[in-house]
Amino acid sequence: MTNETFLLNAIQCASLDQLMGLIGTYLEQPVSIVDQAGTTISQSPSAITQPDQSRTRILLDPQALHPWYLVRAQPQTIPADQLRLALQVINNFTDRYALNPNQREVNAVLAQLLQSPAQADTHLLRSLITDKIVCVTVTAEPGTAHPAELVTALQTLAAPLPLTETSAGLVLLLSASQLPQTQAVLTKLGKQTHHVFFISEPYEDVAQTPEFLSICRQAEQIARRLGTVTVLNPTQKYNIYIILDHVDNGKLLKNTMCTQLLTLKQYDEAHHAALFNTLYAYLENDCHVTKTAAKLHLHRNSLGKRLTKIQALIDIDFDNPDRTFGMRLSYRLFNYLAL
């Protein structure tokens, strides 16, 4: 069979089994496609159902999400140009029908989802997701580019989940269950390449990625305004600020939440004290005396005296979770209004 006849017939094949029958005829020997475990994906007539692992296996598409191999049933040599053409035809067929998508296709689907959420077909991404995912943004510090080795490392970390580049930086999806292990890798990469990561809260529906990406971007803007950017930045830390950014009545926020903190501020200024920061540290350490004292480098008795003075100045009950939650929220409002 000539190359031209082979190509013309290949275009008319509608199934992988039909194509494999044609390739067996073209190469003049039975052939099979198997996965990494040796399971048969497709085969030509008379091919061995369970191929011997010792037989010649040729990797089809190195970029495919799952390694597939062409297995020849006979040891005789096949002309290199024939074998190369057969591999090309198989890869073109699997690409056309998305039988074994490659990483480029997955990345392209994420890019389309971020650009045109309503028009994006997310079936390919859904097939790769087995548990909750997180959206991660990757931003270079000013004057820093995205080095190729960073992109490669992040793609390897995310695979088979996607990574794409937007005008604001890189975006990738990671498995939420693997995040504790991948955080160490992200931290190392960020420090080496002067990049920062903002990590969304876990979610299940990949179609929601544009919404969680928006939260990551808003969290980054607020973190830069607050001066609190680190290498790894969970967006949960900035959720309240994101909500506040959508509240128009700043006067109402100040009058309902911040008056008691102003009392402490005024006392500190008049008496050269540090009650404002002491209360913040105590609340952020879940009202734990030992942890707070260590954080502030204070003796427990000194901290106790400060807390007694705070309770004399403002209405707060440390045993009342509603009161402590409201005060912690007040600190965030105070910081927000001070921006």
Side-chain angles (χ1 to χ4, degrees):
M1 181 184 297
T2 65
N3 291 347
E4 291 75 12
T5 301
F6 171 58
L7 290 173
L8 288 173
N9 290 334
I11 294 173
Q12 300 175 44
C13 290
S15 70
L16 188 57
D17 287 342
Q18 186 180 1
L19 179 66
M20 292 304 294
L22 175 65
I23 290 175
T25 301
Y26 174 63
L27 298 180
E28 298 182 344
Q29 63 175 278
V31 290
S32 303
I33 292 178
V34 302
D35 62 16
Q36 198 163 18
T39 303
T40 301
I41 305 298
S42 180
Q43 60 185 9
S44 65
S46 303
I48 300 174
T49 304
Q50 295 294 331
D52 187 340
Q53 292 293 330
S54 65
R55 296 182 183 275
T56 303
R57 302 200 316 170
I58 304 170
L59 180 64
L60 291 175
D61 182 359
Q63 298 297 321
L65 297 183
H66 307 288
W68 281 4
Y69 302 88
L70 179 68
V71 178
R72 297 188 287 118
Q74 298 175 9
Q76 70 259 32
T77 302
I78 299 174
D81 61 333
Q82 273 190 282
L83 183 59
R84 187 163 48 248
L85 184 59
L87 295 176
Q88 181 181 348
V89 166
I90 295 172
N91 285 330
N92 287 342
F93 187 90
T94 56
D95 284 350
R96 187 192 325 157
Y97 292 100
L99 298 180
N100 189 13
N102 60 45
Q103 197 64 52
R104 293 185 303 274
E105 293 175 76
V106 176
N107 294 346
V109 173
L110 176 60
Q112 183 185 21
L113 175 61
L114 299 183
Q115 292 171 5
S116 306
Q119 287 75 43
D121 183 352
T122 59
H123 285 89
L124 176 55
L125 294 182
R126 292 177 193 276
S127 69
L128 302 174
I129 295 173
T130 57
D131 61 3
K132 291 185 177 182
I133 55 176
V134 294
C135 177
V136 181
T137 61
V138 188
T139 310
E141 293 295 347
T144 305
H146 298 311
E149 57 268 25
L150 171 66
V151 178
T152 301
L154 290 175
Q155 182 66 84
T156 301
L157 188 66
L161 296 178
L163 175 148
T164 191
E165 186 166 8
T166 69
S167 58
L170 300 172
V171 178
L172 64 148
L173 302 183
L174 292 175
S175 167
S177 62
Q178 297 300 314
L179 191 58
Q181 291 78 24
T182 57
Q183 284 178 331
V185 179
L186 293 176
T187 299
K188 182 178 180 180
L189 289 172
K191 290 179 177 179
Q192 289 176 340
T193 62
H194 305 288
H195 282 66
V196 298
F197 305 91
F198 279 79
I199 305 170
S200 78
E201 296 195 56
Y203 58 100
E204 295 180 344
D205 187 355
V206 70
Q208 292 181 289
T209 298
E211 300 165 25
F212 282 90
L213 172 59
S214 175
I215 292 174
C216 287
R217 296 296 188 211
Q218 293 178 72
E220 180 174 356
Q221 292 175 3
I222 292 169
R224 294 195 181 280
R225 283 154 54 191
L226 290 171
T228 56
V229 177
T230 59
V231 176
L232 293 185
N233 304 270
T235 60
Q236 185 180 47
K237 180 179 179 180
Y238 299 99
N239 283 347
I240 185 61
Y241 296 114
I242 294 173
I243 294 172
L244 292 174
D245 257 350
H246 294 82
V247 177
D248 296 329
N249 196 334
K251 184 177 181 181
L252 174 65
L253 295 176
K254 182 176 180 180
N255 290 340
T256 55
M257 300 301 296
C258 298
T259 54
Q260 296 201 82
L261 295 185
L262 287 172
T263 299
L264 294 183
K265 271 287 189 182
Q266 292 164 359
Y267 182 90
D268 286 348
E269 292 171 1
H271 298 84
H272 304 289
L275 300 184
F276 181 88
N277 290 334
T278 299
L279 178 57
Y280 176 73
Y282 187 60
L283 293 170
E284 291 300 301
N285 283 280
D286 298 319
C287 299
H288 194 288
V289 173
T290 302
K291 290 181 180 179
T292 307
K295 180 73 174 179
L296 297 176
H297 305 290
L298 290 173
H299 191 277
R300 286 171 55 94
N301 292 342
S302 298
L303 174 61
K305 291 178 180 178
R306 289 191 187 183
L307 294 175
T308 300
K309 184 61 179 179
I310 289 170
Q311 288 178 297
L313 290 171
I314 65 175
D315 179 21
I316 182 169
D317 178 2
F318 294 125
D319 294 324
N320 185 333
D322 290 332
R323 295 293 295 164
T324 54
F325 171 78
M327 194 58 68
R328 292 179 74 171
L329 179 59
S330 292
Y331 270 99
R332 282 155 177 76
L333 287 171
F334 195 94
N335 292 336
Y336 176 80
L337 294 171
L339 292 178

